[in-house]
Amino acid sequence: MENNFLSNAAAASWKRCHEFGLVPTDPIDDDILTGIHMQSLLKQNEQTIQYTEQIFEHMHTDIKESGQMALLIDPEGTIIHTAGDIDFSRRALAVQLQVGANWAEHRKGTNAIGVALTERKPVRVHAEEHYFKSNHFLTCASAPVFNAIGELIGIVNISGKQENFHAYTFTLACLAAQSLQNKILLEESKKEHLITLRELDYSSMHHPLPLLSLSRDNRILRANHAAMRVMGGDVIGKPMPKLEGFAVQTLHNEHQKLWQSVSIRRVTSNDQHLYTFHDLVGTCPTFLQRKELAQKASTADFPVLLLGESGVGKELFAQSIHTASARSGAPFIALNCSAIPDSLVESELFGYARGAFTGASKEGNIGKFEAAHKGTIFLDEIGDMPLRAQAALLRVLQDGRITPVGSAKSKAVDVRVIAATNKDLAAEVKAGGFRADLYYRLKGIPVTLPALRERSDILALAHHLLQKHASPCCAFTEAAKRKLLAYNWPGNIRELSGILMQAIFLAGDQPIDADHLMLEAAQVDETMSESPSEDHPLTLKEAEIKAIKMALAASEWNLSKAAAKLQIGRTTLYRKIEEYGIT
């Protein structure tokens, strides 16, 4: 067929088909997706198919009477739902116009489905505009469907015999696609709105600070758990007596109805700035599991033992547990047990009386436990505490009382203990370097934090730290990303943060390249940076797995972005991930 008889879209498609090496008289690719792969595809598109059935139901009479059929196609070109005239459907089976068949251009030549997928716009392909002669009996119209972020999620197609051509078919396909898109966007909007409301409700109820919502006349409309603990469980409907000295935010809606959102913790100028769980950033499943465990631990008052290498963020976790707990309004006191001389550990922990020892303050001094009364004490590097101080600490944990050095009087203290160490305390107990009874006292809720090299979100974490350190935020080159992933990170997050600050300085206004990352050469994982030798090339399967893993890591497991990097369809990527067991 001469190009001057083709529409612009069909002519461009014919050119692509020539480049694919397709011949109009050749047999058409008739590979049909069936079995478990087809079931998986239908399950993946279950919601979209359900919406489409509702729309096609309204069109059923018109489509059937005109001898046509309506189809829904997934983003890869595979037909996943059909409806319409039975007689035409039987004729259409001869050219695989059926569920499971793929109508992408490189398989079926120029056709409305394939062109709409490629051009991402509505198109009609009539009779001899089809590339393969066996499809010349068809006239088809297709229109794409997009989601809220502009991703192509499917194609609506209406097909029939060319002698049954109707001018309104193209308009009908566009209207059906628009109806489907609107329905999907509306349902997504409803779900997002519901999730937002649930997130707000969850955040409010689990916020460490007492929070209230008040009416215009200062009556309590809502109260979270923390507020109810302070004011009682029957506060709803009661007046809020005084507002002086509290944080207050006035809100109103479009009808000018007013509410006051109130934090009933008194605002002071010397409040500590402590980390919260919101500040603990990461997408690694192991990290998220530990974060969830720590969040659960914050709701109880048991001792917590944080384990992990130096630099993994143990103190940040300790602060977050405190700020999420009922003790958040009281002090958080941190003590590095390895930085205090043996002779002074007890006086640091429990204080000392006047004249307790040479060089002591004449007035005496309170210790960390007394300073943390009603709050939390964080004992960092607890594995380095001397045995004599361990015995004194054990007595405090058992009795809830402290005795300052040089004093005969004890004091009651109400303190939650969070301890941390980079040592194997169980091994230290066996070696005699740590008391077993103290170990089991501290090991109320053990939380082991993963080393940075064990995490799957190094690039995401590095980007987050860049945003904190640089304004505007820098970017990484691909070489820099590979270097970050190949490094073993002996200093963990603390080392990563320092390396990035140095890299920002060296890079200036340019993207951060591999040369800007001043890493210890001995810590580079050679298996990550070496290429396969010519003697031992990768198999096709190994190459595919490696390419998929690299794309997933670079896109932080965004399947659409990863598929775009690999230049394959999202469904194809999803199928290969399942086939190769990639996690």
Side-chain angles (χ1 to χ4, degrees), residues 136-157:
H136 285 184
F137 77 97
L138 293 170
T139 182
C140 308
S142 292
V145 180
F146 301 94
N147 64 12
I149 59 174
E151 293 177 328
L152 180 68
I153 56 176
I155 298 289
V156 171
N157 172 270

Side-chain angles (χ1 to χ4, degrees), residues 139-200:
T139 182
C140 308
S142 292
V145 180
F146 301 94
N147 64 12
I149 59 174
E151 293 177 328
L152 180 68
I153 56 176
I155 298 289
V156 171
N157 172 270
I158 298 177
S159 296
K161 297 179 182 178
Q162 65 159 298
E163 56 266 28
N164 293 336
F165 170 78
H166 295 278
Y168 70 82
T169 300
F170 177 75
T171 302
L172 188 60
C174 292
L175 289 174
Q178 189 65 51
S179 296
L180 177 58
Q181 182 169 300
N182 289 343
K183 192 169 187 62
I184 290 171
L185 293 178
L186 179 61
E187 293 301 320
E188 285 182 357
S189 177
K190 287 180 180 178
K191 290 177 182 177
E192 288 175 4
H193 181 64
L194 181 59
I195 290 172
T196 300
L197 291 176
R198 288 177 176 172
E199 284 178 346
L200 289 172

